[in-house]
Amino acid sequence: MNQKAYITTPIYYVNDVPHIGHAYTTIIADTMARYYRLKGYDTFFLTGTDEHGQKIEEAAISRGRTPKEYADEISGKFKALWDEFEISYDKFIRTTDQEHKIGVQKAFSTMFNSGDIYKGEYEGHYCVSCETFFTDTQLIDENLCPDCGKETRIVKEESYFFKLSNYQEKLLKWYSDDEKCVLPKGKKSEVISFVKQGLRDLSITRTSFDWGVKLPDEINDPKHVMYVWLDALLNYITALGYGNDEKNMKYWPATIQLVGKDILRFHAIYWPAFLMSLGLPLPKHIAAHGWWTRNGEKMSKSKGNVVNPKEVADAYGLENFRYFMLREVPFGQDGDFSQKALIDRINSDLSNELGNLLNRIIGMSGKYSDFNISSKDVFDYHKKELTSVMEHIRLAETNLQDMQTNRYLEELWKALTIANQSITVYEPWVKMKEGDKEFAFATVAMVANILAKVSIVLHPVMPKTTQKIAKTLNFEISYDTYKKFIEDDSLLDDFKIEKIPPLFPKVEGELLNSPTPSVKEEIKKEEDSLITIDQFFQTKLKIGTILDATEVPKSKKLLKLRVDLGEEKPRQIVAGIKEFYSAESLLNTQVCVVANLKPAKIMGLVSEGMLLAAKDKEGLSLLRPQDSKKSGSSVG
RNA sequence: GGCAGGGUAGCUCAGCCGGUUAGAGCGCUGGUCUCAUAAGCCGGAGGUCGGGGAUUCGAGUUCCCCCCCUGCUACCA
């Protein structure tokens, strides 16, 4: 087989443990990899972890660990989960791997030598005490630091730059020449419009921290480490041996590079630009998927509603969970996880329509023919049904190749519906009574053949379950049987069906404790986050009287307020409350203000404080004293 | 503010170049078979197709205006 496929997931940043989003990306990628293997492609499937950068360095230090120790731990968690999920990766790359670092340096040299990298100066407003650069628009009153309010100065820091600006036209050409280079379409348009606005050269090295890949020796500039994104993106080729033993570079260019929608820009703009600079071909598809919400709400650690993929898989079955994620959501869209939806899918799609179908033919063949099934008359009696089934299967495959996993599964289930319908329409039990055994046997055999074909094409999603179905039908799923039953559309050889217990037992009720699987952890965190009274009083709260309120032009949410806090002059506070309060209604009313907040610049206006307010689904309410208090009264 | 994509049955959505009674799945509901995991199958109810205007013999489908949602982007104070 000459055809090759290369599937990648992003390498996951080790600042967080695996959650459902990681699992989703990885499972889609795994499904695609398994699909290409099934079709006989020489397939390489890559995943791994991204371990460099300032954030990791800091996280490690705060835990009293070295960055490497810390990265080892989290990286290990990812790998362990994927192993437990039986993810069929061919390589698990870590950006701390020696080969990776060598490959990155090699790539840097190549880009440097081709003139795409130059040393320059990053010039900006620098706050010495915060050790941070700010852009013009972040600054307060022209030159004050938005974090600490101190004066900033203009400082130049050395940096190497990548001439991204040179690639603007080439990128646009790629987008327009290759229709499916970025999926889904909607996301592609966003990328194009971003590029059309103009690309700036990219600062690709840092001198402010250490935890990263050093520049190549010949450049001899040890202060610099590479910016994490350059380092990270190159993993897709260093994993194939780029810059080292390049025998696996035969897999390049990638067939599908899966990413979450948040990191699409890096993959659809920077990454192809780097590749062009390296003189390498561009990936066939960059595919961005959406997020998972939980019962309609965004998942977040603070809400404690993060779905732990392992707990779900343990409770409901790994392959059921895989089916659910791929079936429930159109690719690219956000999806909602709820136990109800998952249970519905399992009971309705899997138990009733798939599992039960197998049981139906086990039952009939047992009663009518001592479990013997023969395809010999199937074409004579049921050509029409089989033709229709094959149409659905072909469509299913097309959808899968376009990453439309939900439509792919929908089409397969249409084939199952044909099988279920046929049984009621042709009523084999009636045919048996009438003595038309041949017809009855043919109907049972047709259904067996439909099950065989569907289980093969479903195999990438549910590897083990479909293999069990295949076994009862006396074959094994492989490239050979894919070719025989799908490509060549042959029928099953005569066989004796093997009786097995139901594949998908019904789920009677929720198997995970509400409200969330990780609730215990959250409670612990809350305890950890208790503060002392002294800490509380670090926040100075005061009662203020609103002297003046005006709408901020061109802003949906902002009102500009002048608030008397009993100080020499009133404060200017910009608050996002326009949707809930009109400017007039606020005049001369009192509010509770955080008085010692660092000033911030919001839409070009300095805001010297924050109003306290409570917000829920109904809207937002300002916190106010019950009776009028003197401006500047303290709250506590 | 700019750009893009949306607003169609209770829910999730499909409806291509304008053309007979607007579709699917889920949910709800009535019926029915018995091979099967009380599964399957058949039928039914349910829609001012965001609002208004225009073009047309005819518009969910084209054009204009407005409202609302989502995403990207911006700060032009």
Side-chain angles (χ1 to χ4, degrees):
Chain A
M1 249 301 148
N2 283 329
Q3 301 210 70
K4 293 190 172 51
Y6 180 31
I7 317 287
T8 68
T9 73
I11 46 174
Y12 303 116
Y13 204 44
V14 294
N15 65 344
D16 193 11
V17 295
H19 54 66
I20 189 175
H22 300 116
Y24 181 52
T25 320
T26 308
I27 285 170
I28 297 175
D30 184 61
T31 298
M32 298 311 296
R34 288 176 186 270
Y35 175 68
Y36 281 106
R37 283 193 205 105
L38 182 65
K39 282 172 75 73
Y41 283 50
D42 181 6
T43 303
F44 196 89
F45 172 24
L46 174 74
T47 189
T49 45
D50 179 11
E51 308 182 11
H52 288 132
Q54 192 163 17
K55 265 195 208 166
I56 304 301
E57 191 178 77
E58 283 168 3
I61 288 166
S62 75
R63 288 169 175 75
R65 318 270 297 276
T66 67
K68 184 62 168 53
E69 283 168 356
Y70 176 70
D72 283 348
E73 181 195 326
I74 307 284
S75 177
K77 286 187 180 170
F78 277 98
K79 190 159 187 295
L81 184 65
W82 303 153
D83 287 340
E84 199 172 319
F85 276 14
E86 298 177 49
I87 299 301
S88 62
Y89 60 84
D90 294 289
K91 183 176 171 76
F92 185 100
I93 190 172
R94 302 183 52 185
T95 53
T96 49
D97 290 342
Q98 191 57 28
E99 299 78 41
H100 170 74
K101 292 192 241 177
I102 292 169
V104 170
Q105 290 176 332
K106 175 81 185 301
F108 191 99
S109 297
T110 307
M111 289 154 83
F112 187 85
N113 293 334
S114 70
D116 277 334
I117 291 179
Y118 61 93
K119 189 170 182 175
E121 276 171 335
Y122 186 88
E123 184 176 323
H125 302 268
Y126 187 75
C127 172
V128 181
S129 69
C130 299
E131 297 183 33
T132 313
F133 281 98
F134 298 99
T135 63
D136 289 352
T137 53
Q138 287 174 301
L139 294 176
I140 297 172
D141 290 349
E142 306 289 302
N143 66 342
L144 298 185
C145 169
D147 280 352
C148 65
K150 290 179 186 162
E151 249 181 62
T152 59
R153 19 174 177 154
I154 293 183
V155 168
K156 295 177 180 182
E157 187 187 277
E158 254 182 33
S159 175
Y160 287 82
F161 287 84
F162 175 75
K163 283 190 187 165
L164 188 61
S165 52
N166 276 3
Y167 287 92
Q168 182 166 337
E169 293 313 314
K170 289 173 196 160
L171 285 166
L172 289 171
K173 185 168 186 316
W174 181 49
Y175 304 141
S176 71
D177 287 354
D178 189 346
E179 198 202 336
K180 292 180 178 176
C181 61
V182 179
L183 297 171
K185 264 194 205 141
K187 293 285 156 201
K188 184 178 167 184
S189 318
E190 285 176 13
V191 169
I192 292 173
S193 72
F194 184 85
V195 173
K196 279 188 176 161
Q197 287 183 40
L199 295 173
R200 284 186 181 179
D201 289 352
L202 207 60
S203 163
I204 51 166
T205 68
R206 293 290 132 97
T207 54
S208 52
F209 64 96
D210 246 5
W211 180 237
V213 181
K214 302 274 183 259
L215 301 200
D217 288 344
E218 71 263 25
I219 291 179
N220 191 24
D221 206 343
K223 277 196 312 227
H224 291 261
V225 296
M226 284 188 220
Y227 179 48
V228 275
W229 272 105
L230 176 63
D231 166 14
L233 286 166
L234 288 166
N235 94 86
Y236 301 124
I237 53 174
T238 62
L240 299 178
Y242 179 85
N244 287 287
D245 174 4
E246 299 204 342
K247 69 173 192 302
N248 278 336
M249 281 300 285
K250 69 183 179 187
Y251 290 105
W252 192 259
T255 316
I256 298 165
Q257 301 209 261
L258 268 154
V259 298
K261 63 182 182 182
D262 55 325
I263 54 171
L264 179 62
R265 185 179 308 164
F266 298 98
H267 286 81
I269 299 174
Y270 303 166
W271 176 227
F274 294 158
L275 285 166
M276 288 188 231
S277 175
L278 292 171
L280 289 170
L282 304 185
K284 303 267 192 349
H285 307 295
I286 306 280
H289 69 249
W291 295 133
W292 282 90
T293 55
R294 165 102 185 197
N295 300 322
E297 289 196 326
K298 206 173 166 185
M299 284 187 214
S300 72
K301 283 188 206 166
S302 55
K303 277 188 197 152
N305 63 348
V306 175
V307 175
N308 179 330
K310 182 168 155 29
E311 285 177 273
V312 176
D314 285 349
Y316 290 96
L318 172 61
E319 298 199 350
N320 295 348
F321 182 42
R322 286 170 67 110
Y323 173 80
F324 168 79
M325 287 201 285
L326 298 191
R327 174 63 185 81
E328 192 70 7
V329 190
F331 186 79
Q333 305 227 301
D334 290 350
D336 187 56
F337 177 88
S338 71
Q339 296 198 65
K340 182 180 183 305
L342 173 56
I343 291 170
D344 284 350
R345 286 288 171 207
I346 294 173
N347 287 346
S348 167
D349 297 4
L350 297 177
S351 301
N352 295 349
E353 287 170 42
L354 174 58
N356 186 47
L357 183 61
L358 180 62
N359 273 22
R360 297 179 86 179
I361 59 167
I362 291 175
M364 284 189 280
S365 65
K367 287 187 183 171
Y368 307 154
S369 60
D370 194 25
F371 298 106
N372 286 301
I373 292 179
S374 166
S375 302
K376 71 180 163 62
D377 297 320
V378 170
F379 273 130
D380 292 340
Y381 290 99
H382 293 300
K383 180 108 188 170
K384 196 180 73 191
E385 285 81 8
L386 282 173
T387 307
S388 175
V389 161
M390 280 315 293
E391 281 169 13
H392 288 302
I393 286 183
R394 299 256 139 80
L395 202 48
E397 289 195 72
T398 309
N399 285 324
L400 181 58
Q401 285 159 17
D402 287 345
M403 309 296 304
Q404 299 285 351
T405 58
N406 63 322
R407 292 192 179 176
Y408 142 72
L409 292 168
E410 251 177 76
E411 287 301 324
L412 286 184
W413 256 252
K414 283 182 190 166
L416 295 178
T417 297
I418 291 173
N420 275 315
Q421 277 170 336
S422 300
I423 296 175
T424 22
V425 170
Y426 296 113
E427 301 178 300
W429 47 93
V430 172
K431 297 287 187 299
M432 287 302 288
K433 278 182 201 154
E434 290 169 352
D436 193 352
K437 285 188 178 183
E438 219 176 65
F439 197 123
F441 291 174
T443 304
V444 174
M446 166 188 66
V447 173
N449 275 287
I450 294 175
L451 267 171
K453 290 178 197 299
V454 169
S455 59
I456 291 169
V457 181
L458 182 60
H459 183 253
V461 181
M462 310 186 81
K464 284 196 166 158
T465 309
T466 50
Q467 209 61 271
K468 273 191 213 163
I469 296 172
K471 186 159 176 268
T472 68
L473 302 177
N474 195 40
F475 74 103
E476 190 173 331
I477 297 171
S478 65
Y479 169 60
D480 290 337
T481 51
Y482 172 83
K483 189 169 183 318
K484 180 173 170 187
F485 296 122
I486 303 297
E487 283 184 359
D488 302 341
D489 199 9
S490 304
L491 296 180
L492 289 162
D493 302 328
D494 295 357
F495 69 102
K496 191 161 184 165
I497 197 166
E498 196 181 309
K499 200 173 174 184
I500 57 163
L503 286 171
F504 306 101
K506 280 277 176 63
V507 179
E508 300 298 343
E510 296 194 352
L511 300 175
L512 290 172
N513 295 332
S514 304
T516 76
S518 51
V519 87
K520 271 186 218 155
E521 214 174 297
E522 288 308 316
I523 289 169
K524 227 204 260 166
K525 269 186 197 153
E526 269 178 33
E527 284 169 3
D528 289 347
S529 67
L530 294 178
I531 58 170
T532 66
I533 188 114
D534 294 338
Q535 286 171 317
F536 173 76
F537 279 114
Q538 286 175 6
T539 308
K540 294 220 167 61
L541 299 175
K542 287 188 179 178
I543 295 300
T545 306
I546 299 177
L547 303 176
D548 189 27
T550 51
E551 302 195 348
V552 176
K554 292 184 185 177
S555 158
K556 249 188 295 193
K557 298 181 181 171
L558 299 181
L559 288 180
K560 184 174 78 175
L561 311 171
R562 269 197 319 131
V563 182
D564 179 10
L565 288 185
E567 297 166 335
E568 284 176 25
K569 59 174 187 181
R571 303 251 193 135
Q572 170 169 302
I573 295 179
V574 180
I577 56 172
K578 186 156 129 190
E579 292 169 297
F580 309 99
Y581 291 91
S582 69
E584 308 84 64
S585 71
L586 289 169
L587 284 182
N588 297 315
T589 62
Q590 293 198 309
V591 288
C592 186
V593 177
V594 180
N596 60 338
L597 203 62
K598 286 169 191 165
K601 196 174 179 184
I602 302 170
M603 280 191 72
L605 299 166
V606 178
S607 182
E608 305 165 302
M610 180 179 104
L611 304 189
L612 295 189
K615 190 175 184 184
D616 65 8
K617 279 181 216 151
E618 312 289 305
L620 176 142
S621 286
L622 288 169
L623 301 183
R624 303 164 178 282
Q626 193 168 3
D627 306 305
S628 180
K629 289 286 155 199
K630 205 175 148 200
S631 294
S633 307
S634 70
V635 177

